[in-house]
């Protein structure tokens, strides 16, 4: 009976490790920062495209919303590209001592 419960426990631990790895990839800080910068960058860029001449004159002739929005878009895309090029490595579960192969004599 204890052998059955040991297998159940090992199965639950394996399932939790898989869920933990999935959550780590889902909530990677690069994804959150990149996504927020892209969303806000789109909003600020649209505000810059639709800016009136009076708003541009307030900023001494510079369309600050347009340039800031484009910068935010670039930074957000950088973070998302970094995430895509270098994803988190999959976690390797530790094998219990009883499942490890015996050392070989050399």
């Amino acid at each position: 009976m204890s052998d059955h419960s040991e297998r159940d426990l090992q199965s639950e631990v394996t399932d939790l490790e898989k869920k933990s790895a999935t959550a780590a990839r889902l909530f990677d800080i690069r994804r959150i920062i990149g996504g927020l910068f892209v969303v806000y960058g789109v909003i600020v860029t649209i505000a810059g495209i639709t800016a009136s001449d009076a708003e541009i004159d307030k900023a001494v002739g510079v369309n600050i919303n347009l340039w800031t929005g484009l910068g935010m878009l670039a930074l957000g895309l950088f973070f998302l590209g970094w995430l895509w090029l270098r994803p988190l490595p999959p976690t390797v579960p530790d094998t219990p001592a009883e499942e490890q192969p015996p050392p070989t004599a050399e």
Side-chain angles (χ1 to χ4, degrees):
M1 186 179 233
S2 66
D3 184 42
H4 179 67
S5 63
E6 181 68 30
R7 276 188 260 138
D8 289 343
L9 181 63
Q10 186 65 27
S11 174
E12 287 181 35
V13 168
T14 304
D15 289 342
L16 287 174
E17 285 175 344
K18 288 179 185 176
K19 289 178 183 177
S20 175
T22 301
R25 281 191 297 275
L26 182 63
F27 294 111
D28 188 356
I29 193 72
R30 296 173 293 179
R31 181 183 315 262
I32 296 168
I33 291 173
L36 284 174
F37 267 99
V38 166
V39 169
Y40 291 141
V42 167
I43 293 169
V44 174
T45 301
I46 291 171
I49 291 172
T50 61
S52 67
D53 289 335
E55 291 173 345
I56 294 173
D57 288 340
K58 282 184 191 178
V60 192
V62 177
N63 193 343
I64 195 71
N65 283 338
L66 180 64
W67 289 109
T68 303
L70 291 175
M72 291 173 77
L73 276 171
L75 183 65
L77 292 174
F78 168 76
F79 272 97
L80 294 176
W82 180 19
L83 176 70
W84 182 66
L85 291 173
R86 294 216 181 229
L88 286 177
T91 58
V92 179
D94 296 332
T95 56
E98 57 199 33
E99 291 182 14
Q100 291 178 351
T104 58
E106 291 182 33

